[in-house]
Amino acid sequence: MAAEKYLMENYKRFLLNRTTVTPVIVEYIENCLTNEETANQSFHKIMIHNWQDSLPQVFDVISNHYGSSFIPVNCTSKGELTSFYTSSLKLVMNLIKFDFIFPYSRNMFNVDVLFNDKTASDFFRRVTTVEDIVSSVVCCRFTEKCVLDLSNFCEDSEFVDNKIFFYKLSLLSQFKILMLRMGRDTKKLILRNNNLSLAPADILNFFIKSDLTAIDLSYNNIPSLQGLHRVSSKIERLWIEGNPLCEELDPITYVKKIAIRFPRLTELDGVKINQHGINIPYFRNYQATPDKRTKVVVEHFIRNYFSNFDAKKGFKSIAPFYEEQATLTIATDFTDAQEKLLQHYGMFHRNLINPEHNNKIATISNYGLCNSRAHIFTVFSRWPETIHDLSTFTVDVMCHNTAVLMLTIDGIYKELVSPGHPTENIFQFRRTFLFNIHTENQISIYRIQHEMMNVRFATTEQIRNSFQTPIVNTNSLTPIDPTSEEKEALLKVFQHITQLKKTEAELRLTYNSWNIYNAMRDFSKEFSKNITKNNSIQVDRFLVEEEDFSDCSSLLDEID
Amino acid sequence: MAEVIAKNIDNACETAEEFTKIFYKQVDNNRHLSSKLYLDTGLLVWNGNGINGSDKIQKFLMDLPASNHVLKTLDAQPISENLVSNKLSYLIQACGDVSYQNDDTKKPFQQTFVIVAVDGKWKIASDCFRLQVPYS
């Protein structure tokens, strides 16, 4: 140890190149390599002559050529001399082996080494190593919620302050033990803002076996989804916006393209997507008040209103959306001939400027105005069955405060063939809703005070682009892709009613695709048989008080 | 009471006709004057792009290619007072076809206004315009 230290002093600031290298120093370095503790403390200046390209480029070339990657410190590029420091003796050793030269784009470059030039405390003002600093930065970025936030990692202030040039994220793959540990625990990995030019397979490999379900790759330079396939099967939430692969794609193609690769994806760029991997575009199309509360209210309204509107039950279910004294007007540009075929609009529509109906203007005030909930109900109940294509909807929220919400929805709907409605027609509509908001006991109640509706025949272009995707009836009681909390809640209710054991209850719910009504129906059918005949549902499927359990099972043995 | 309501609706409809006549004329021919049609705090949402304030709205509209709007339907309702502002306000919904200078095809559009009476003049509090063309 003492001898080594002596030698270390001896070789302090030793200029190492092709002419000065000796077998003694090679032997010394080889010795040091076996004793990393002391070796990592001293830094060697690597000097390259006439380098024209960028710094990251020279690091990539050197680490590839000499087969050892390193994290450079205190890099400078002055005139013809490019230099950096490293504590990697392996690199120095390989430089010696390869005669201090490396090729790059048809040129040979010479390297000089100023051996043992500085120590860790010269750079970091304390006894530490680059590796320790990197490890501590990574550990600091791991949160209690199992999120590993490596966003803008290379620019971390700790690196900048210590002049550590962490020139690319994949340098992290050297830190095998650290990354394996991170890989084991991380559930969400954030890699945003790292100037990545492809999905970093060498980093992601550490996360293959983990419970990683969310990954944020947004605001990088990634042109394709290649390299993500190894983790893709488990990913539920993905952020990928701000990458070249998103450009020149309309929202629907974008979602489809990505959803195909990620079978479990439920959220893309912070937007929830449904079972068919298609998001509902209205979510991202309104601007005026894009806060979370508005989103929740608007989404709820649209889902509930239009699924009830389209449901066969008629319009009873939409009546509660309206105030008692709500007003509704419907305007259309139908000609007289069209009107004859569309009798249900009949006398309930109006138009101030339709030239063919000029005579109506005089009495417009009384004409086609619905001014009560009952009246609105009458109008809509004359309509045939409809299907609204939510994927064509655009929504603008013009105003949302504590007293009023103003909402404009444009979209496409279809009237189905039914008795009295011989043809199927596709229309475009605009509906503007003005809601009154009452707050009672901190609960806000939204009711429609005014509605204006505008209906026109859809253009051929609109027809071509609508009803492309399966329409999900969101009104049915089957939860789409229920989360574990939703399942837990359903289970609890189902168990409470039926007193079944958890496994049995879960089995029955799963069988009925988590539709609690169907599960209840099946159960009650079988249960009534139980009373009349017995044993269609076995006794051991039911919940039993803990202390009675043994008795019960012995009882069952007897029965068997 | 019913007569008062009917009168209000008649007024709304008449106002809507006059107002939209002026509005589309200005937008098609004298767009540099369009800021006068909006409240200082007016809001325009144009195909999903929100623009606040009459000056910004005018600047935005000036950047659009020359247009020709043809109205097909028009409808109006008086809004219950205190709902949007404390002044008399009307909700107007218009639809029609528009063609732009750089593109000869007629495109369907829908537009909804909230107008309020300020010192005897009608001004737009909010304006929601969308071309009815598929987004996908």
Side-chain angles (χ1 to χ4, degrees), chain A residues 16-79:
Chain A
L16 200 60
N17 57 29
R18 231 175 308 172
T19 47
T20 59
V21 68
T22 59
V24 183
I25 196 164
V26 172
E27 193 187 335
Y28 162 71
I29 295 172
E30 273 173 349
N31 271 336
C32 286
L33 269 171
T34 56
N35 181 4
E36 272 182 38
E37 288 272 315
T38 49
N40 283 342
Q41 291 294 319
S42 57
F43 281 79
H44 322 290
K45 189 176 187 177
I46 313 289
M47 296 169 286
I48 303 111
H49 303 275
N50 295 321
W51 182 258
Q52 305 290 344
D53 231 317
S54 69
L55 281 171
Q57 191 67 34
V58 75
F59 300 140
D60 268 340
V61 171
I62 291 178
S63 53
N64 283 339
H65 187 71
Y66 297 108
S68 51
S69 68
F70 54 90
I71 299 161
V73 180
N74 197 23
C75 312
T76 55
S77 187
K78 268 189 204 142

Side-chain angles (χ1 to χ4, degrees), chain B residues 61-128:
Chain B
L61 291 175
M62 295 288 280
D63 288 341
L64 296 176
S67 59
N68 184 29
H69 291 82
V70 179
L71 274 196
K72 284 280 164 72
T73 72
L74 181 66
D75 195 4
Q77 280 185 25
I79 305 175
S80 357
E81 248 169 76
N82 307 329
L83 203 56
V84 172
S85 69
N86 289 323
K87 302 186 179 72
L88 180 62
S89 18
Y90 294 150
L91 185 62
I92 301 175
Q93 193 148 289
C95 95
D97 295 319
V98 60
S99 51
Y100 289 103
Q101 197 181 34
N102 55 0
D103 184 3
D104 281 341
T105 53
K106 282 196 297 179
K107 291 186 174 71
F109 75 91
Q110 296 268 14
Q111 194 158 15
T112 306
F113 306 93
V114 172
I115 59 168
V116 294
V118 182
D119 305 328
K121 283 196 178 124
W122 289 103
K123 300 260 184 186
I124 302 170
S126 73
D127 173 357
C128 176

